[in-house]
Amino acid sequence: MATWAQSLFTGENYNGIVDLRATTVKGYLEAAQQLLITAGYKHDEGLPLDKNNSKESDIFIAKIRKYESLPEKREIIDDNMLLEIFYKRSLEADTDSLDQVFFDWLAVGRYTGFRLSEWAQTRKLTYEYVEGTEESRAMINGDWLCFDKEGKLLDKTPGNLQRLYKVNITWRYQKNGRNGETISYWRDDVDLRLCPVRAAWRILMRASRLGIPNHEPIGQYFDRKRGHRVYINSSEVEELLRIVGTQTTGITDRTIINKMFGMHSLRVTACNELACLGVKDSFIQRRLRWRSKTFLDYLRNNHYTARQHNLSYNIKISHHDTELLNNLNNRSVSVFAH
């Protein structure tokens, strides 16, 4: 019965629907059980949903419910999207605009895997604070420390950018309860556009320009229409992500795009970026601040993994097999030529 349930979930059902809801699958199983009872089977004859026999079915239903509870199975923010956002940023002269701020936080976030509460707010004019204080729960200026190549602490002044090599980020509050955890990030001199340390520096310099108090979140931008700074908020970020997602994927169905991209896409991206590098699970878990193997539920099949899949086959072909491969390729060409 559990095997049948898996088939139902993967699309082998009356309507051919993939990813059936747990409630629907359970309904199928209950109907099948009732059919067996109607056919004369008794409870002491091993009916599949009876307490003593339902272990496998129960496990599978529980797995479906867990899958449903994931943050809407968001997709990654791939390189095409990042470069499109970078291009939009390059057209924007205002260094404190939403487009500029958005790119900087993405550049840092693809390394840190920020959760929503750590960098953005749900509203534009108010922020979530620690109960009984004015201190923001999201990142504040004091959470980020800058260091030179030798590990010497740097003042957060514009002239120190060339000396900047490392940024330490401290999470005062975390969903997993590991408050006070600090992680270091190193400068990327290969692709300066997406360097997390330079992006972090721009965020800190912007906080200074905008006069953001030390207790307020540094995730802010200058709203020209309002004439003052406002907080990065989830609705605007999601809208920007979905616009870029439409531009880069060609998918115009708003319902599909809304499901693909949202605030949690940043954490999904960070997880998949590391997975594609082939690092150990323990490294992903440690760097992205998970207490368990939950991050495995965030892994996605995407064009990067598709290419890796090809590569994993290609590397098996030894030098000895090169002639055979060339023959196969030549045969394929001749077949398609006709």
Side-chain angles (χ1 to χ4, degrees):
M1 190 70 85
T3 303
W4 182 54
Q6 292 179 46
S7 299
L8 290 171
F9 180 70
T10 55
E12 294 182 29
N13 50 71
Y14 182 77
N15 292 314
I17 299 173
V18 179
D19 292 358
L20 285 177
R21 305 281 296 179
T23 308
T24 305
V25 173
K26 189 173 182 181
Y28 270 107
L29 296 177
E30 289 172 346
Q33 169 123 328
Q34 188 57 49
L35 184 63
L36 291 172
I37 294 172
T38 303
Y41 284 86
K42 295 182 171 43
H43 287 282
D44 59 357
E45 293 179 335
L47 285 170
L49 292 188
D50 282 3
K51 185 175 181 180
N52 295 331
N53 305 303
S54 63
K55 183 178 179 181
E56 290 81 7
S57 298
D58 289 345
I59 290 174
F60 186 67
I61 294 294
K63 285 185 177 295
I64 299 177
R65 293 195 192 284
K66 184 178 180 181
Y67 178 76
E68 290 172 354
S69 70
L70 291 176
E72 301 184 54
K73 284 75 72 179
R74 300 299 192 192
E75 295 299 323
I76 68 168
I77 304 166
D78 65 16
D79 290 349
N80 289 332
M81 292 181 67
L82 282 168
L83 292 176
E84 180 65 27
I85 296 165
F86 179 81
Y87 175 69
K88 287 182 66 176
R89 168 183 175 269
S90 69
L91 299 178
E92 176 62 70
D94 184 357
T95 56
D96 300 329
S97 70
L98 178 57
D99 282 339
Q100 296 270 8
V101 172
F102 181 46
F103 176 81
D104 288 342
W105 280 93
L106 289 186
V108 178
R110 66 196 288 261
Y111 280 81
T112 63
F114 285 129
R115 301 177 179 93
L116 164 62
S117 61
E118 296 167 353
W119 72 288
Q121 309 300 319
T122 55
R123 295 193 176 114
K124 213 173 189 178
L125 301 177
T126 59
Y127 65 91
E128 186 180 355
Y129 53 85
V130 180
E131 189 174 353
T133 74
E134 292 186 342
E135 186 179 273
S136 165
R137 294 190 71 88
M139 291 290 165
I140 60 175
N141 197 305
D143 295 331
W144 296 16
L145 296 180
C146 302
F147 299 86
D148 66 13
K149 196 172 185 177
E150 283 70 44
K152 184 179 179 181
L153 185 66
L154 293 174
D155 291 331
K156 298 170 186 175
T157 55
N160 279 331
L161 175 58
Q162 297 306 316
R163 297 174 58 202
L164 176 66
Y165 269 82
K166 185 182 74 167
V167 170
N168 281 4
I169 296 181
T170 298
W171 278 261
R172 287 170 297 113
Y173 301 97
Q174 290 197 82
K175 182 180 178 181
N176 63 14
R178 287 183 176 172
N179 299 335
E181 183 174 9
T182 299
I183 298 179
S184 300
Y185 301 92
W186 198 257
R187 191 170 85 178
D188 180 2
D189 288 330
V190 176
D191 190 344
L192 275 60
R193 297 170 302 177
L194 301 178
C195 173
V197 169
R198 290 178 175 85
W201 184 261
R202 290 193 296 270
I203 290 169
L204 291 170
M205 293 302 99
R206 184 177 297 113
S208 177
R209 282 196 305 274
L210 294 179
I212 297 175
N214 289 333
H215 64 274
E216 285 193 17
I218 51 177
Q220 299 189 43
Y221 70 95
F222 193 83
D223 188 329
R224 293 294 169 189
K225 291 183 179 179
R226 294 177 181 269
H228 59 77
R229 54 184 170 81
V230 295
Y231 305 109
I232 301 173
N233 59 93
S234 55
S235 58
E236 287 183 322
V237 169
E238 287 186 328
E239 182 62 20
L240 284 172
L241 271 179
R242 290 161 183 170
I243 289 172
V244 175
T246 298
Q247 291 170 341
T248 57
T249 66
I251 298 173
T252 57
D253 188 315
R254 186 69 180 190
T255 302
I256 295 175
I257 284 293
N258 287 356
K259 288 181 178 179
M260 289 176 66
F261 302 107
M263 290 301 295
H264 215 72
S265 292
L266 191 55
R267 192 151 177 77
V268 172
T269 299
C271 181
N272 281 268
E273 293 257 14
L274 286 180
C276 286
L277 292 175
V279 300
K280 292 182 178 180
D281 288 355
S282 58
F283 184 86
I284 299 175
Q285 187 175 338
R286 184 174 68 254
R287 293 295 292 181
L288 298 183
R289 303 166 286 115
W290 265 293
R291 298 191 70 169
S292 68
K293 297 289 186 180
T294 305
F295 71 88
L296 294 172
D297 295 325
Y298 287 65
L299 299 180
R300 302 288 184 266
N301 282 312
N302 51 61
H303 57 275
Y304 300 124
T305 55
R307 290 172 184 172
Q308 276 192 321
H309 201 160
N310 277 9
L311 181 61
S312 65
Y313 281 108
N314 292 342
I315 60 177
K316 292 180 181 178
I317 300 173
S318 66
H319 180 72
H320 178 73
D321 297 323
T322 302
E323 184 177 351
L324 173 60
L325 180 63
N326 288 336
N327 288 337
L328 287 172
N329 286 337
N330 290 336
R331 288 178 61 187
S332 297
V333 170
S334 64
V335 169
F336 286 113
H338 296 290

